Amino acid sequence: MRKPRVVVTYIEAGMGHIVSAKAISDALKKNYGDKLDIYDLYLAEKSPILEKYQKNLVNDVKKSNKNPAYSSFQFFCMNLFGRSSTLKLTHGTVFLDATKEMYKVFAKLRPDIIINTHFSPHYVSIELRNNYFNRMLVATYDPDPNVHGWWDNRSDIFFVNNVHAKKEAIEKNKFTPSAVRQVDFTARDCIINSNLTKAEYREKYNLPQENFTIILADGAYATAKLKEYTNEFCKIKKPVTIIVIAGKNDKVKEYFDKKLPELPKNITMRVYGFVDNVHELYAASDIFVTKAGPNAIQDSLFMRTPIIVNFYASPIEKFTQKLFVKEYKCGLTILDKVKARKQIEQWIDNPSLLDPYRKNCERLDKTKNGGQEIADTIYSALQYYRPELFQKKGK
């Protein structure tokens, strides 16, 4: 008797889809690894066609970071011509080769359930279920704080991470209410197991203990406001540590590496490329300055470090800053670099002004892990809908 096969799909369009999938996979393996056959499917590794498709998704994110109008136009067209119809049309034309390739990869694995964190494999999974494996289940976690129109509403289970997303899925996108499940924000094992103090993380990374510490990032691609805000913060006259996360943008990393010898003595700067343990650097910092990428913000808040949102490129990111800044009050939105520097200078003079934001970070509790809640629901759903998979041979 084989174990029920669970396929978790990974595709990069911003790192949020990857880290969310990892959190779900971590929880499944930790609690049900002996009962389920859990397969991590990195789509770009399966064929040149899917590798090219992922590169196109990444390029779309970069274009949006450079020009917010690009993303806004995409969403405008989606709404103008119909959410469901444009989803099907795009996968039948522009994404046709990738759609066919995903379909073949999924079918070859013969999954009992596919778990997605991106709208494209989500759509292909549903098509596979409807046309080929009619007993296969499709479950999806939306890593964003809202539900855009390209999330196919035919999912068996659709997980969201806040009450607004649940309402939007049901009322605006016409999901079956019983299919929509609200869970807490997902946390990877590395987040859950990171419990050192701020001082201990500063010692680990050889950072000055007494300096006010700023960390800046633009997600994985550093194509938004990272460079200009960092240069503005270098005008601060008091002792300060600036941590620059250049991600996968080698040009930005090289730019700041060359800048290091020119810095005034009061500035301590550390420059990193793409790092897996960036959450530890969040924890070592007093404030995280970033574009409104939801998963980077979540990780920072899990580590109890407030945020400044300095840019948002899409309707998704606009809603992200609204949720975490306006509603949860875990930081500020400051879209002007000079105003951001002056605000940080106030916090340097009076660090206690940050205390309310730090307190509000506790709203995201990594001990209440959405990944675990999803794993539990997945296992229960398989037992309920596919009981034959759990019966011993001969029974």
Side-chain angles (χ1 to χ4, degrees):
M1 184 186 72
R2 72 175 180 86
K3 297 177 183 178
R5 170 157 282 195
V6 179
V7 173
V8 183
T9 65
Y10 292 73
I11 193 164
E12 183 181 340
M15 291 304 296
H17 304 282
I18 298 286
V19 298
S20 298
K22 182 69 167 60
I24 295 167
S25 179
D26 284 349
L28 282 165
K29 291 173 182 175
K30 182 177 180 180
N31 296 278
Y32 302 106
D34 59 334
K35 301 178 179 69
L36 302 173
D37 173 19
I38 302 157
Y39 186 89
D40 289 328
L41 174 59
Y42 290 86
L43 286 162
E45 297 177 2
K46 290 300 177 180
S47 81
I49 291 173
L50 292 177
E51 182 181 13
K52 181 181 178 181
Y53 177 57
Q54 179 171 280
K55 286 180 179 178
N56 288 337
L57 294 176
V58 168
N59 287 334
D60 259 11
V61 175
K62 292 179 179 179
K63 289 176 183 176
S64 294
N65 287 344
K66 292 178 180 178
N67 183 5
Y70 178 80
S71 178
S72 296
F73 179 73
Q74 288 180 315
F75 278 86
F76 172 78
C77 291
M78 177 201 302
N79 293 320
L80 179 64
F81 298 109
R83 296 173 170 214
S84 178
S85 59
T86 53
L87 172 67
K88 294 176 183 177
L89 176 63
T90 304
H91 282 84
T93 54
V94 180
F95 298 163
L96 180 59
D97 289 344
T99 298
K100 290 180 176 178
E101 199 73 9
M102 268 189 268
Y103 198 96
K104 288 192 294 185
V105 170
F106 292 165
K108 187 176 180 179
L109 290 170
R110 301 186 68 83
D112 296 299
I113 186 168
I114 299 182
I115 305 171
N116 306 291
T117 60
H118 185 271
F119 70 83
S120 195
H122 169 70
Y123 170 79
V124 177
S125 300
I126 291 171
E127 290 295 297
L128 179 69
R129 179 201 65 194
N130 289 359
N131 297 319
Y132 192 38
F133 293 136
N134 59 13
R135 300 211 66 203
M136 184 187 82
L137 299 175
V138 177
T140 294
Y141 172 69
D142 178 0
D144 300 320
N146 63 332
V147 183
H148 64 67
W150 271 13
W151 288 110
D152 194 316
N153 62 13
R154 299 174 293 167
S155 183
D156 296 301
I157 313 172
F158 189 76
F159 297 99
V160 295
N161 54 37
N162 70 89
V163 66
H164 305 295
K166 183 177 182 180
K167 182 178 180 181
E168 187 175 18
I170 295 169
E171 295 183 5
K172 193 170 184 178
N173 293 316
K174 307 305 179 185
F175 278 77
T176 303
S178 60
V180 183
R181 311 287 180 89
Q182 184 180 338
V183 297
D184 289 293
F185 295 99
T186 58
R188 306 183 305 287
D189 279 353
C190 61
I191 296 281
I192 295 169
N193 298 326
S194 296
N195 296 303
L196 300 182
T197 65
K198 191 176 295 295
E200 288 170 328
Y201 281 121
R202 288 186 180 184
E203 181 179 3
K204 179 176 179 177
Y205 290 96
N206 192 30
L207 301 171
Q209 287 288 346
E210 302 305 319
N211 280 12
F212 188 92
T213 302
I214 311 161
I215 184 167
L216 300 98
D218 278 345
Y221 315 122
T223 51
K225 303 293 185 180
L226 173 68
K227 186 184 289 188
E228 64 180 81
Y229 272 68
T230 301
N231 285 334
E232 183 65 29
F233 295 161
C234 287
K235 298 176 182 178
I236 294 172
K237 302 301 183 183
K238 297 188 178 181
V240 66
T241 300
I242 301 174
I243 302 171
V244 179
I245 307 297
K248 298 180 180 182
N249 193 324
D250 294 335
K251 290 183 179 179
V252 170
K253 184 178 186 304
E254 183 180 352
Y255 171 84
F256 282 108
D257 282 338
K258 290 180 179 179
K259 189 178 180 70
L260 291 174
E262 306 168 4
L263 294 172
K265 292 183 179 180
N266 64 297
I267 303 289
T268 299
M269 182 177 286
R270 300 283 189 269
V271 183
Y272 295 88
F274 185 80
V275 287
D276 291 327
N277 58 345
V278 68
H279 61 282
E280 295 185 345
L281 293 168
Y282 297 153
S285 304
D286 294 293
I287 192 73
F288 177 35
V289 181
T290 183
K291 79 183 190 81
N295 286 275
I297 288 175
Q298 289 168 35
D299 285 355
S300 184
L301 303 186
F302 276 136
M303 304 309 290
R304 301 294 176 259
T305 298
I307 57 171
I308 288 178
V309 172
N310 66 351
F311 181 75
Y312 41 87
S314 69
I316 294 171
E317 292 182 351
K318 185 176 182 179
F319 187 87
T320 297
Q321 66 86 30
K322 182 179 178 181
L323 181 70
F324 291 113
V325 174
K326 306 298 183 183
E327 183 172 339
Y328 292 175
K329 301 186 186 304
C330 296
L332 298 173
T333 298
I334 306 178
L335 305 181
D336 180 271
K337 61 186 180 182
V338 176
K339 290 181 180 178
R341 172 177 58 78
K342 291 180 178 179
Q343 178 61 71
I344 286 174
E345 288 171 340
Q346 289 183 31
W347 287 332
I348 293 172
D349 292 336
N350 189 356
S352 65
L353 294 175
L354 270 172
D355 288 346
Y357 303 113
R358 293 193 186 100
K359 179 66 178 175
N360 291 336
C361 290
E362 296 175 9
R363 183 156 188 159
L364 273 72
D365 184 353
K366 65 183 181 181
T367 66
K368 298 176 181 177
N369 177 17
Q372 179 61 59
E373 296 163 22
I374 292 170
D376 292 341
T377 303
I378 293 299
Y379 187 70
S380 296
L382 282 168
Q383 287 184 308
Y384 182 78
Y385 290 106
R386 301 293 306 277
E388 75 277 7
L389 296 172
F390 297 87
Q391 293 173 358
K392 292 184 179 179
K393 193 173 182 180
K395 297 238 174 170

